[in-house]
Amino acid sequence: MNLMQHFVCGHIARLDSLAPHLEGAGLSVTTWSTRFLEQPVVLVQSEDTPNKGALGAVEIDLICSAFAYAAEKHWPVVLYLNSSGARLNEGDGIQASFRKLLNAALVFRSEGHRIVVLMGKNVFGGASLLAMSGHTRIYSEATRVSMTGPRVLEGQPENQPHDIRAIIAAKSRVRNDAFGVWSESLDDVKEHLLHALSNRDPAPGGAELVKASNLLFASSRVQVSQSGIRCIDTHPPHINDLLALILAVSKWDSSVELVITCEWLCHSLDAADENAYQSYWLFSVSETIYRKQKEGCQITCHFAKDVSGGLYIALAAAVTEVTAASGVGVQALPYGIVDQIVTSATARKKEIELIELKIIDRIEGPQ
């Protein structure tokens, strides 16, 4: 039993299940009305399952319902996450589910409610994006976090000189996380959680985080014009590209409408980008877009090329509308890692499926 699981079992008092009709269903998360000391809290708890806590559509609906319940009660949410990410055997629909999940977290944060994340042993893929929604993340020595699973990262030839295990380890992550704290004991976790739940300071915006990071943020692949922002070149974005996009969105003032046209294929599989904590910056992209939308800007994300992975989730979750060019495909893992999940016989059928699944909202351009 890892430190965070031990803490949840011993220090957070469960009161009622928020989904009693699903008890005993073998789900990878359960949701609870709980109390931590004198503080009522909604707990979303990862469970040990044979699929390593992978999140499917049912689990994601549960988490979204937990956010809604917590908002109604004005209670904070504590996420104990120990998950390998998306349940890929559910096909394309899981992308739509993660779009909905990250949007629910963005809405919850924007309404002034707090999220605290207890980082379990493994927090990979879409689960790592959810973890980044926390106002505080509490790490232990056992924690590993990455946007792509470590075996996939280690399998990339260009990553061979790098120690992937060291890159995704907790100490590395805490150094790169402005909202991360370190715990070595149950008392540490208790102290950090109590402080996080009582803290009411607003989270800084993406532009502030970029400027405080000391990372390079110049990029020729993010082009700004009066008509919108274009993310050009189908190669995955490096961290400097993500930072440039954050700054471009935060500075946008040309009109109350913004079209972000994305040609980028997927999130990066490069060790250097993972080392800079890619999940953290992808979420910052998402929240920067969402904040701009809340200021009254109508934002469309247009996928001009095939897209996949965390890049799709981060962009699609935050915008007013998602459109795609005719023939564009969407899949759960970066292209080149798995065969395309959308296996329709024709592009037209594929497009209908993407719309019906709510992965995109509309086909834009020649049909």
Side-chain angles (χ1 to χ4, degrees):
M1 184 179 293
N2 66 60
L3 180 63
M4 299 306 168
Q5 186 178 20
H6 192 178
F7 180 84
V8 167
C9 293
H11 289 75
I12 299 181
R14 298 185 187 187
L15 302 178
D16 297 294
S17 169
L18 298 184
H21 61 293
L22 291 175
E23 286 185 22
L27 299 175
S28 63
V29 296
T30 53
T31 55
W32 302 87
S33 166
T34 68
R35 189 169 294 275
F36 171 64
L37 301 178
E38 297 302 314
Q39 170 74 64
V41 168
V42 168
L43 172 67
V44 175
Q45 176 175 339
S46 286
E47 303 289 346
D48 290 330
T49 56
N51 61 8
K52 301 180 181 179
L55 300 176
V58 173
E59 285 88 355
I60 286 173
D61 283 344
L62 271 181
I63 300 171
C64 290
S65 296
F67 278 127
Y69 181 85
E72 180 183 334
K73 294 288 188 179
H74 300 283
W75 292 354
V77 168
V78 173
L79 300 172
Y80 161 58
L81 290 179
N82 186 27
S83 172
S84 60
R87 190 173 296 167
L88 298 178
N89 61 1
E90 294 193 8
D92 271 326
I94 200 62
Q95 287 292 85
S97 291
F98 268 96
R99 175 189 178 188
K100 177 173 65 176
L101 175 59
L102 195 60
N103 180 263
L106 290 167
V107 170
F108 188 76
R109 281 174 59 107
S110 75
E111 293 173 345
H113 309 299
R114 299 197 74 78
I115 303 171
V116 184
V117 185
L118 307 179
M119 304 288 277
K121 181 179 179 181
N122 297 320
V123 186
F124 299 149
S128 75
L129 282 181
L130 176 61
M132 297 306 114
S133 71
H135 294 82
T136 301
R137 278 170 292 282
I138 305 176
Y139 298 80
S140 73
E141 187 174 3
T143 301
R144 305 185 302 165
V145 191
S146 62
M147 190 60 246
T148 302
R151 281 188 290 183
V152 173
L153 289 171
E154 289 170 346
Q156 303 306 302
E158 62 273 20
N159 292 339
Q160 295 304 315
H162 300 273
D163 185 346
I164 298 298
R165 295 185 183 185
I167 286 173
I168 70 174
K171 288 186 178 179
S172 169
R173 291 332 200 180
V174 171
R175 284 196 300 269
N176 288 283
D177 187 347
F179 310 107
V181 292
W182 179 261
S183 293
E184 295 186 357
S185 67
L186 294 173
D187 286 341
D188 288 343
V189 181
K190 181 178 179 180
E191 180 181 347
H192 289 316
L193 181 55
L194 186 60
H195 180 266
L197 292 175
S198 62
N199 187 3
R200 292 293 177 266
D201 294 337
E208 296 172 85
L209 295 175
V210 171
K211 292 171 182 176
S213 70
N214 295 319
L215 294 170
L216 296 175
F217 49 80
S219 171
S220 60
R221 300 177 65 203
V222 176
Q223 299 183 346
V224 182
S225 68
Q226 291 296 314
S227 60
I229 299 170
R230 293 191 66 90
C231 303
I232 65 167
D233 182 358
T234 57
H235 294 296
H238 297 300
I239 291 299
N240 65 301
D241 300 319
L242 296 179
L243 303 189
L245 179 56
I246 290 167
L247 292 177
V249 172
S250 65
K251 293 176 181 177
W252 178 261
D253 59 3
S254 296
S255 72
V256 294
E257 295 183 355
L258 169 60
V259 177
I260 301 172
T261 301
C262 182
E263 298 177 1
W264 296 339
L265 195 62
C266 58
H267 64 261
S268 175
L269 299 180
D270 288 355
D273 296 306
E274 200 57 64
N275 190 43
Y277 214 167
Q278 185 172 202
S279 306
Y280 178 92
W281 291 113
L282 280 168
F283 179 81
S284 186
V285 167
S286 198
E287 187 170 45
T288 300
I289 293 171
Y290 189 79
R291 286 190 181 196
K292 181 63 68 172
Q293 185 198 147
K294 293 293 287 184
E295 291 170 5
C297 188
Q298 295 290 307
I299 304 179
T300 298
C301 177
H302 178 68
F303 292 113
K305 306 288 184 180
D306 291 347
V307 65
S308 68
L311 177 65
Y312 162 80
I313 298 169
L315 294 174
V319 296
T320 314
E321 184 180 40
V322 178
T323 66
S326 183
V328 161
V330 181
Q331 68 177 41
L333 287 178
Y335 279 80
I337 300 303
V338 293
D339 292 334
Q340 190 169 338
I341 292 173
V342 179
T343 56
S344 306
T346 67
R348 181 61 183 158
K349 186 170 185 289
K350 184 189 304 181
E351 291 162 1
I352 293 171
E353 289 175 351
L354 293 178
I355 293 171
E356 288 181 344
L357 290 170
K358 298 183 180 180
I359 293 173
I360 64 172
D361 303 313
R362 183 164 51 88
I363 299 297
E364 179 73 25
Q367 302 295 300

